[in-house]
Each structure stands twice: as structure tokens, then as C-alpha cells.
Amino acid sequence: MSKPRVIICERSGIWATMFGRHLPRDVQVLQTRGLDECASALAAAPTALVAVELTHGNLADVLDLLGELPARFPLACVVILGERELRVCEPLVREAGAVAIFASPRCLAGLRQTATNHFAQLPAIHADFAESVWATLPWRDAATA
Amino acid sequence: MVDVQSTAAELAGLFDDSLAPVYVLDEDRRIIYCNAACARWTGVSLGELLGAQCVFCSDAEDRSAAAVVLGMCPPPKVFSGQPHQAVVSITRPDGRTVHRRGHFLPLSDGEDESAAVVAVLESSDCLPEGAATASDSSAQLHEQLRALRRRMAGRYRVDSLLGHSPTIARARAQIELAAATTAQVLIVGPSGSGKDHVAKAIHYAQAEPGALVPLACATLEANLLRSALRAAWSPTVPGERATLLLNDVEGMPPEAQLELSELLGRNTRRVRVIATAARPLGELAAQDEYSTTLAYALSTIAIELAPLGERLQDLPLLAQAFVERANVHGAKQIGGFTRQALDHLSAYSWPGNVDELADVVRQAHGRAAGGEVTVQDLPKQIRWAAESGVHPPRVDESIVLEDFLARVEKELIARALRRAKNNKSKAAKLLGLTRPRLYRRIVQLGLEQPGSEKQSKGKQTEPNRG
């Protein structure tokens, strides 16, 4: 199984800096600067937690990304990073499928646990030969690892 | 004397060369002319646009050429002879939603209804209908919300739940029943079985859906979840109804369960709760793993979804739908699956259910080079499950350890020999063994008779395949 990954799509890099202080150590963080680049990164890591910066100009594109997720990347999870004046958009982005909304890089309480919970729920779909044989062994509930 | 044909040709040439999209609809709303700029703007080829029929209705979720054309239709009054300006909004095949102001000019042949309508769009995109300026954020949000709900309603129609199996037919009937009431609903099924899809189908099938507030109960940190629950009970629009969709509700932390119980106790008819879970909440409550009060409050209507392995008759239809969905998102067009590929899919146990099938089909679509998905395009775990004869674990059956290990070893040696074209030196290297040790195991496992190697060496020299 590959390392858990967080993809951050933002203009400046401020959010990524703060994310690094809150996420578990074993999580790989990938920064992107635009939604197209973000979508490509997500295609390579379809189980990622994606953090997208919401701005005044990209609401429609963010909604399009959220709309595509259930069909193309059902195991991914999106959180929205926004400014306080964009809180009026919160019901809209949540209805579109965002899991959480963070209004400031300094207010990321709950991010670590949310990310941990997301990665803990991912199924082991992509298996190499050894893992696929292991998956067929009986008495799965008595496994030691 | 004016050469009419030459003048008409010049006019057509002007339209052809225009940077502004221009198209003409006949009285049946079929596109009888469109220029290259129109094809570029819509992302649909001229060949697909010509002859396509526009209908004035909300767009559907799919991004076929026909769906794009739906957005190009002017209001009906234009066909009654009234020139009109309006914003034309379409969702292109690449998924982008774009808007352009259009001028619709009816052409009458003297009868009441217009014989044709000429549509000339401006040369650059604009804001959506209802958004007067970039700073008019309320109007823009309203339009965005309207467009989102229209798109979601199309995607989550009851008939979007595909399948002919009795279980899925029963689920569709239960969705319609649940949508006709305001009772709380609990949808139970394994991970990836479509619980979220069913929940949204219920919401959008209601007569007045209102707002949808989905919360990932097993993902969100406890305080974030409690805060979101409280916000759900405070309407953004006064009096607006809302559906609170609690995904994986069995993973809701205890403090959030308390918060939810209190909110449900406010006895408001404004919020309706639809919850999804992997197991019935009553079972969890009986084992002291969930609040008993909440378990029964959320389970007024219970809908059970079966694992994909229990409705394999639906698998070919689902796989076909997923491959056609992949065709929409990519340039490659795949027609379906070979018979052998479908057999392989049917032989797999699908622990991840429909979501896993969607992911497998997406991967296979990416690998497919021909017109159909073949066995070789399928991910490894699907091929191994069918080719090696690996069976799903039978947890109640005892095993003999030595026999089981011998079966695994025999399979690995046989595969190594096939890969090495029966060259034992190469096969030994693949397995990390010395050649003598490999030969001893081959004899012990019965893959060859003792002395067979000496006999074959005596008859011929093993070909040097180095």
C-alpha cells in the first residue's frame, strides 16, 4: 500500500506550511498551484485527502471538482480552505461534497484527526501478489497484523 | 443583377470565419447551421452539432454532445417571433461550465411560428445568468446553488440505481417510499455498496428537497462534527427544509451522538435525517457500542443494500455503465468487455463492492488499447483471483497447514517455470533458490518424476536460452 497522501491546491503555500505542523508524520504532502494540476495529482493518488483553497474566482471550478469526485475518485476526500468572508459559501460547498471547511490557516483544529480517520477507513484494494494471497487466508479476524 | 447564390455564399463565409459562435435552429429546434467558433466553444464537433435537437430544459448530468446541445436552446418565445437576449450556459464534455450572452433572432416565413432562429453569441464568456457583476456574490451563489442542485438531481435519479436483481429492485421501491415521507431513514450495507447514492436519491426524489447537508461521521473530528450538526439545525434560508445526510453514522463519536440526540429532540419538522451504516444500529446498541435511543430514532425506515457478490447478475450492466462513464471523461472510447474479461470480473469476490468495480473499470479503461477491455487490461488482483483458482476464504473450514503451504509453493514454482520457459536455472533465480534445491522441491511436490532431468539430459542438451 502506498503512503497516505494529502494534496493541497493553493496559490501561496501558506496553508501547506500550516498543514505540515498538524498532519501525522507518515503523511506525504503534495502542493499544487491550480485545479488542473490538483486533478492530475489526484488521478495518481485517488485515495488522497485533497485540500482546495476557495477564492472569489474559482467557486464554479471547485464545485465542478467536488461534483466529479463520487464518480471518478470515490475514495478521495475534499476539505475546503477559505477566508472568513467566504463562509457564506460553506453550505454550498458542503452540499457539493466537501467534508470540512477551514476558515483560516491558524484554525486547523481537528485536521489531524480528520486526516487520520480518512486514511484509516481506506480499503486495501491495490495488492501485490503476496498481499492477495494473504487476503485469501482463512480466519481473517484472528490475524496478527 | 445580384448573384443571389454568390451573396448567400459570401454571407455563409462571413459566419464561417466569425470568432463569435453562430448557429441556426429550424422550426423543430434542430441545428441546421453552426460555425467553427461554435464547435470550439462547445467542445463538440461540427458533425455532432449539425442535426442535434435543442430542448429548453435543465441540463442532465451526462456530458454527451446531446446534453451540451440542450443548453443552447433559446426560450420558447423566440420561436413565437420575439427577438431575445439571454445567457447561454452549457457544460462542455470536458466538464467545464461556460456562459455566453446570446442574441436570438427569429426568421419568419409569414406564418405564426418562426421558420428558423439565428443565434449569435458574443465573442467571450460572461458570468452565469443572474450574476449581474462579479461583486454581486449573492446572485452568483444563488445561480451556483441552482445549477448544483439541478446537476445533482439529474445524477441521483432513482433509475440511476442500475440493476435487475431483486435486491436492487427492492431498493428502488424503498427509495420512492422513503421520498414520499419525512421519516428518518437508515441505509445499511457494506462499504462501497452504494449507500451514499441511495441516500441522495431519496433526498432528490422528495417533492421539496431543500438543502442537503452531508456529514462524514467517521471522518470528521468530533468537535468539527458537533459544530456542523448545530449549523444544520440553523437554516441559512429561513423556513428552508433540509436533509441531514449522516454517512457512516456508526462511526459518530459519543459526544456527537449526544449532540444529535438533543437536536432531534427539538422536534422540528424542518430537518429530516438520512443515515448510512455498515451494520444495523440496533445490533450495535445491543452490544453497547451505540446510543440505544439514537439507534432507534434513526431507523424508522431501514433499507438494506446487498454486497455486489450477492447480486452478480447486475455486474455486467454496472461494468458497462462505468466504462461508458470513463468514455465521457477521456478521449478514448471503449465499447465494452470481452466475454473472458466479464467472466474474470464475475469470478472475483468484490470486497470493495460497487465502488471497487468502478475503480477496476476505470483502471482497465486506462489500459485498454483496443475497442474492448480484455483480460490483460484488468488489474492483477482480478486476473489472479480467476487464473490461480484462489477461492474466497472459508472461515469455518479447517486446513492442513503443510498441504496449504505445499499448494502455494507448487503454484509459485509452476509459474516460475512457465516464465522461464522451463529453464530451471532461470526459474531458480526467479525464486531465490539454488538449482539443485529447486529440482528437489519439484520432485517432492510431484511436478516431475525423479530422474526425469537426467533422462532428458541424456537424450538432448538443454537448449541454451541465455
Side-chain angles (χ1 to χ4, degrees), chain B residues 264-282:
Chain B
L264 285 172
R266 289 184 188 177
N267 201 27
T268 171
R269 291 184 183 277
R270 194 191 73 82
V271 179
R272 188 249 185 108
V273 179
I274 301 176
T276 72
R279 291 170 58 192
L281 297 181

Side-chain angles (χ1 to χ4, degrees), chain B residues 159-174:
Chain B
D159 59 7
S160 66
L161 246 75
L162 296 175
H164 302 300
S165 61
T167 52
I168 209 66
R170 184 169 59 245
R172 284 194 290 263
Q174 287 176 308

Side-chain angles (χ1 to χ4, degrees), chain A residues 67 95 117 121 126 136 140, chain B residues 149 155 219 363 390 393 412:
Chain A
E95 183 159 340
N117 292 344
Q121 295 176 77
H126 302 287
T136 68
R140 202 176 288 169
Chain B
R149 287 179 176 170
R155 179 183 304 165
T219 302
Q363 290 181 57
V390 171
L412 285 170

Side-chain angles (χ1 to χ4, degrees), chain B residues 223-268:
Chain B
N223 286 326
L224 289 177
L225 184 54
R226 291 175 64 192
S227 172
L229 285 170
R230 287 193 294 270
W233 255 263
S234 306
T236 309
V237 176
E240 184 186 44
R241 298 172 60 83
T243 298
L244 182 58
L245 170 49
L246 301 175
N247 278 316
D248 304 316
V249 74
E250 74 274 32
M252 182 180 280
E255 52 271 58
Q257 291 180 34
L258 270 175
E259 187 88 44
L260 180 59
S261 292
E262 283 171 18
L263 290 167
L264 285 172
R266 289 184 188 177
N267 201 27
T268 171

